[in-house]
Amino acid sequence: MNIIIADHYDDLCRISADIVKDCVKAKPDAVLGLATGSTPIGLYKQLVHQYKSGELDFSKVTTFNLDEYIGLSPEHPQSYNKFMYDHLFRHINVPEEQIHIPKGDNPQLEDECSAYENLIRRIGGIDIQILGIGANGHIGFNEPGSDPEARTRIVRLSESTIKANARFFGDQSLVPRLAISMGIQTIMEFSRHIVLLASGEEKAEAVQKMAEGIMTKNVPASILQSHPNVTVIADQHAAQQLKKQSS
Ligand code: PGA
């Protein structure tokens, strides 16, 4: 696990955007795994900027998002589909048919999950997988206790995630309880390079356990220790409990 400590959130965004840029420049038909949440918003801003200034072309890029709430239509203001179009897809030239986000309103949810998994496999995996991390150590919606062997599937959100995400819905009761998420095994097996972003003091404990704690399914991100190519980009607040930097 390669850990980069960024001075500020803006640096974190710039460093991660440069990693994505280098990848797409070297491989114009790169497959990008994308994440939602507050943390990657600045990365997406940078990518939009790079596209608009002519530095980056997304016309051959394919994307796969990590997860989506079950029961929300793609147009729902809090769906991850809407999030991705608002923050990235609407502003760049990635063709619609190359964008993949699990469909949380598909009545055949099991089929949706297996088709999603199969599509990532068929396309040959993911060049760069962007991840956030939950304060509880989750990656995607793989909550503490998730099976490390799990593939894309229906998951139940933990109480702490429901609380954390209530800020977007206005009221905790409105947060969906279920989601579709790529599994830990999906991420581990299909991603050639994982770039995990962490910002803010509330992530500090999770970052420390992920990087320096024992590998345990109770901290799903700790499983990433066994992946050969992980870059963690943390701002100083998120990195403050790491033991290595203070030694
Ligand atoms: P956040 O979410 O970026 O909004 O903090 C990260 C996550 O829960 O994975």
Side-chain angles (χ1 to χ4, degrees):
M1 207 173 257
N2 174 28
I3 300 179
I4 299 172
I5 301 177
D7 282 343
H8 303 287
Y9 176 70
D10 285 352
D11 300 312
L12 175 157
C13 300
R14 194 182 35 76
I15 296 165
S16 54
D18 282 347
I19 294 175
V20 174
K21 180 170 81 176
D22 289 349
C23 171
V24 174
K25 279 203 172 292
K27 187 180 179 195
D29 60 347
V31 179
L32 303 179
L34 300 175
T36 50
S38 312
T39 316
I41 289 177
L43 158 64
Y44 298 149
K45 258 197 197 130
Q46 292 273 338
L47 294 179
V48 169
H49 174 74
Q50 288 173 353
Y51 166 67
K52 291 202 163 150
S53 62
E55 286 175 83
L56 262 190
D57 172 18
F58 291 91
S59 62
K60 297 197 174 74
V61 164
T62 296
T63 70
F64 285 92
N65 263 78
L66 277 172
D67 45 19
E68 178 61 286
Y69 291 114
I70 286 179
L72 302 191
S73 69
E75 300 76 33
H76 188 284
Q78 296 309 332
S79 75
Y80 285 164
N81 186 294
K82 173 99 170 39
F83 175 101
M84 289 307 301
Y85 275 83
D86 286 352
H87 291 286
L88 185 65
F89 297 146
R90 203 190 304 296
H91 311 288
I92 61 173
N93 66 335
V94 60
E96 183 103 28
E97 61 277 14
Q98 286 156 222
I99 293 171
H100 303 94
I101 304 173
K103 293 186 181 59
D105 62 346
N106 184 340
Q108 310 297 331
L109 286 168
E110 301 283 352
D111 293 349
E112 177 69 24
C113 294
S114 51
Y116 202 74
E117 182 81 17
N118 289 338
L119 198 55
I120 304 173
R121 182 188 302 279
R122 259 211 323 275
I123 220 148
I126 290 170
D127 292 297
I128 292 187
Q129 175 66 57
I130 304 294
L131 293 180
I133 182 170
N136 65 2
H138 75 195
I139 46 175
F141 274 132
N142 295 287
E143 301 285 22
S146 292
D147 179 0
E149 314 262 293
R151 301 281 178 175
T152 303
R153 69 202 187 292
I154 300 166
V155 294
R156 182 165 292 279
L157 273 55
S158 70
E159 280 306 311
S160 60
T161 297
I162 292 167
K163 269 196 198 121
N165 291 6
R167 69 192 197 274
F168 300 113
F169 287 82
D171 189 308
Q172 209 167 297
S173 66
L174 299 176
V175 182
R177 270 37 186 177
L178 299 175
I180 294 177
S181 181
M182 283 188 204
I184 295 174
Q185 185 64 17
T186 315
I187 296 167
M188 292 291 288
E189 185 184 321
F190 290 146
S191 312
R192 285 182 275 283
H193 184 189
I194 292 173
V195 177
L196 184 142
L197 309 178
S199 168
E201 195 177 357
E202 65 279 13
K203 303 294 173 65
E205 189 181 344
V207 166
Q208 194 278 331
K209 287 183 175 161
M210 163 185 71
E212 298 175 340
I214 50 162
M215 265 205 284
T216 164
K217 65 180 183 179
N218 295 327
V219 182
S222 68
I223 310 292
L224 300 176
Q225 290 175 22
S226 62
H227 188 285
N229 192 12
V230 177
T231 304
V232 175
I233 310 174
D235 66 14
Q236 288 188 359
H237 300 292
Q240 65 189 8
Q241 290 190 26
L242 288 173
K243 303 210 166 44
K244 262 196 231 141
Q245 63 167 353
S246 56
S247 61

